[in-house]
Amino acid sequence: MAVALAHTDVWTERRRRVAELRSRQGFARQLLDFYGALLAVQERVFVEAAAAAPPPRAVVAYVAELVLPSIVDVSVGAGPDRLRAEVLQWLDRGEVHEILPGWMRGEAQPAVERYLARASLGPVLEALGQAARAECEGPRDTQHCPDCGGPPQLSFTTRAADDLATGPRHLLCARCGATWGYARARCPGCGEDSSASLMFFSEHGTTSGERGSVVRGLPAGPAAAHDRAVFPHIRIEACDSCRHYLLGVDLAAEPAAVPLVDEMSAIPLDLFARERGYSKIITNLMGF
């Protein structure tokens, strides 16, 4: 019963948010349409993996046989032209079973291989929990997932119990979807905590205690109404020490947001950060 409730909460919310965002963010509609098709496959994979409960050491074999072919099929059938072509080229090379262990070991991989491994292993690691995630390699420190050692995909803050306080900050793992608490004024890429090195960019600018500026090219400024902003609840959190960034989602500002989906659709913010010489700690599943 607990699995069924978790399934309903997680996947229903992701599908709901995809539908909401695609109706108002035309620039991300193709991406969100494909992600919606991918979600349907991943949801089924999640449910089946939770029911089958393969032992941790059998996860790679389980995913290679029962999951990866479905991810390939939906990618070729519903993916953008470039992704479809890259997946077909990868199939021709015949390196089917090498990508999954590589992602679990945290190795550098070509974009298409990393996408296929992430899309296939993600819902299985999410369904099976800590025992399966422990099979992954990577540092278990404050800047990496305590369950699998993976890097942070994004940060998000929640509403504080006291309306006058700022809510706690969490990081979300790019590999298994786990979350963990993290200091607000610290870079998730290198651990830098000097305010002189931390930069923040958003459509409405920054608070008086933060360094950064308004994202240009989007509705912004004191006169901009909250409902006119494209991303009123998302900001770029960058570090001048390591030159890395990730996107931060404020759930107090937008309670309906689903961080994983909202971050994926915030393409203009990623482009803005990259134009200023920052590199994302890790690109998201869609490559941004």
Side-chain angles (χ1 to χ4, degrees), residues 199-202 215 234-238 245-248 268-270 272-273 278:
M199 299 286 288
F200 302 91
F201 304 90
S202 75
V215 174
I234 304 178
R235 68 178 186 174
I236 300 162
E237 300 172 348
Y245 80 96
L246 48 62
L247 299 186
L269 298 184
D270 282 313
F272 183 92
Y278 297 106

Side-chain angles (χ1 to χ4, degrees), residues 185-274:
R186 186 182 295 273
C187 170
C190 68
E192 176 66 73
D193 60 1
S194 170
S195 60
S197 297
L198 302 179
M199 299 286 288
F200 302 91
F201 304 90
S202 75
E203 291 181 73
H204 294 304
T206 65
T207 64
S208 58
E210 295 175 338
R211 298 179 67 243
S213 66
V214 177
V215 174
R216 302 300 175 186
L218 296 171
H226 184 277
D227 60 0
R228 287 182 56 199
V230 183
F231 308 106
H233 61 301
I234 304 178
R235 68 178 186 174
I236 300 162
E237 300 172 348
C239 175
D240 281 342
S241 291
C242 66
R243 301 301 295 176
H244 282 99
Y245 80 96
L246 48 62
L247 299 186
V249 180
D250 184 355
L251 294 177
E254 177 54 272
V258 175
L260 187 69
V261 180
D262 287 59
E263 188 268 0
M264 196 177 297
S265 70
I267 301 168
L269 298 184
D270 282 313
L271 297 178
F272 183 92
R274 292 172 191 179

Side-chain angles (χ1 to χ4, degrees), residues 44-285:
R44 174 178 56 79
V45 166
F46 177 95
V47 174
E48 291 175 352
R57 292 193 176 277
V59 164
V60 168
Y62 174 88
V63 172
E65 180 180 358
L66 299 176
V67 180
L68 183 55
S70 296
I71 298 298
V72 168
D73 286 346
V74 72
S75 301
V76 172
D81 291 342
R82 180 176 177 180
L83 176 63
R84 183 184 301 116
E86 290 179 349
V87 171
L88 290 173
Q89 290 173 5
W90 171 79
L91 283 172
D92 288 341
R93 293 197 297 270
E95 301 168 353
V96 174
H97 298 296
E98 298 300 318
I99 65 170
L100 302 175
W103 175 240
M104 292 182 73
R105 289 192 295 263
E107 297 174 356
Q109 295 174 297
V112 67
E113 295 183 6
R114 183 173 59 198
Y115 157 74
L116 290 170
R118 288 180 70 170
S120 301
L121 279 163
V124 176
L125 294 175
E126 198 169 350
L128 298 183
Q130 291 185 357
R133 298 168 189 174
E135 293 294 308
C136 299
E137 298 179 19
R140 268 65 169 180
D141 57 26
T142 57
Q143 292 152 228
H144 295 82
C145 176
D147 286 359
C148 79
Q153 180 62 66
L154 57 88
S155 81
F156 66 93
T157 53
T158 54
R159 184 180 297 277
D162 182 348
D163 288 342
L164 297 180
T166 304
R169 183 191 193 195
H170 297 81
L171 302 179
L172 184 145
C173 178
R175 189 153 57 185
C176 73
T179 63
W180 67 100
Y182 196 74
R184 291 185 64 88
R186 186 182 295 273
C187 170
C190 68
E192 176 66 73
D193 60 1
S194 170
S195 60
S197 297
L198 302 179
M199 299 286 288
F200 302 91
F201 304 90
S202 75
E203 291 181 73
H204 294 304
T206 65
T207 64
S208 58
E210 295 175 338
R211 298 179 67 243
S213 66
V214 177
V215 174
R216 302 300 175 186
L218 296 171
H226 184 277
D227 60 0
R228 287 182 56 199
V230 183
F231 308 106
H233 61 301
I234 304 178
R235 68 178 186 174
I236 300 162
E237 300 172 348
C239 175
D240 281 342
S241 291
C242 66
R243 301 301 295 176
H244 282 99
Y245 80 96
L246 48 62
L247 299 186
V249 180
D250 184 355
L251 294 177
E254 177 54 272
V258 175
L260 187 69
V261 180
D262 287 59
E263 188 268 0
M264 196 177 297
S265 70
I267 301 168
L269 298 184
D270 282 313
L271 297 178
F272 183 92
R274 292 172 191 179
E275 286 170 358
R276 278 142 191 83
Y278 297 106
S279 299
K280 208 169 196 177
I281 292 174
I282 185 168
T283 56
N284 59 38
L285 183 60

